[in-house]
Amino acid sequence: MPDIRQRVQEDQGILKKIQLFVPGFRGYRQREDLRDADRMLRDQLAKKLSLQRKQVEGARRLVVSSFNSKELELMGGIVTGYKKVEGLVSHSSPGYSGISADVQFKQDEIFRLYDYDASMIDGLASMQQSIDQLKAALAAQDGLRAQAELDQLKALLGNFEEQFKRRINVIQGTEV
């Protein structure tokens, strides 16, 4: 996966290059680019979470048809967890505040946020693998394996949420 910081610099158009040439405007433009990159990352994370939640909801339909109530209960909790984390990611503050805001972020802090984002992207891939394994277990009507995958998915979702909360702590300046 390409580094988002490099991609933002590569995506700068002619207008941005001219703006960078104007004295005093360069720092503002760079921070705006970082803010845009942060927003794009969070939007993409929220979309992936939504897609995975929908896959779990689809797998839940497989359970309904075979009347496995234990898996249904576990899946309901996971779907609720996905919705909670999706909301956190979609509606959190961006990783940069404007020039006159009370709290401003420096590039180093933004890059630390990107490290958390990269960790969450890895978490999404692990959750997708668990969802795929869950679907296979449900298709094979292997209840024990399905429950193990649901437990794994719940733990992975919890880890994702924890990473995102740590990211928010960086934004709020409370991360140690």
Side-chain angles (χ1 to χ4, degrees):
M1 173 179 230
D3 189 331
I4 190 75
R5 295 167 280 202
Q6 182 182 359
R7 181 161 177 230
V8 168
Q9 288 179 347
E10 290 172 357
D11 286 347
Q12 292 180 343
I14 292 173
L15 179 59
K16 287 184 180 182
K17 288 180 183 176
I18 292 169
Q19 289 171 338
L20 288 173
F21 186 73
V22 176
F25 200 80
R26 183 170 187 250
Y28 176 76
R29 182 73 259 160
Q30 287 174 335
R31 286 189 294 271
E32 285 299 314
D33 287 345
L34 291 172
R35 183 181 177 142
D36 288 344
D38 183 61
R39 181 187 44 76
M40 287 187 307
L41 274 172
R42 287 183 306 105
D43 287 349
Q44 193 62 28
L45 288 171
K47 285 179 185 173
K48 296 286 184 186
L49 285 168
S50 176
L51 179 65
Q52 289 185 353
R53 177 182 45 82
K54 289 175 183 170
Q55 289 178 6
V56 173
E57 288 173 338
R60 188 166 54 177
R61 285 187 210 105
L62 292 173
V63 177
V64 169
S65 65
S66 63
F67 303 105
N68 293 330
S69 62
K70 178 82 173 167
E71 288 89 358
L72 272 178
E73 185 179 319
L74 292 170
M75 294 172 96
I78 290 172
V79 168
T80 301
Y82 264 105
K83 288 179 180 177
K84 176 183 166 191
V85 176
E86 283 174 52
L88 262 174
V89 172
S90 293
H91 304 296
S92 68
S93 300
Y96 160 74
S97 296
I99 269 179
S100 61
D102 293 337
V103 179
Q104 292 189 11
F105 293 92
K106 302 206 177 339
Q107 284 185 355
D108 291 347
E109 293 166 319
I110 295 289
F111 292 155
R112 248 177 92 195
L113 295 177
Y114 291 153
D115 292 336
Y116 281 113
D117 291 337
S119 170
M120 290 186 296
I121 289 168
D122 291 341
L124 283 172
S126 296
M127 289 189 290
Q128 185 60 54
Q129 287 176 341
S130 189
I131 290 170
D132 292 342
Q133 293 296 319
L134 171 65
K135 287 178 182 177
L138 290 173
Q141 296 186 347
D142 185 347
L144 290 176
R145 199 171 106 209
Q147 287 183 21
E149 290 301 330
L150 287 168
D151 289 341
Q152 174 72 12
L153 183 56
K154 184 178 179 181
L156 291 169
L157 185 60
N159 288 340
F160 184 94
E161 182 179 6
E162 182 62 30
Q163 287 294 312
F164 193 77
K165 285 181 177 178
R166 291 184 71 195
R167 180 187 191 277
I168 290 173
N169 289 340
V170 169
I171 292 171
Q172 294 173 341
T174 58
E175 175 77 11
V176 179

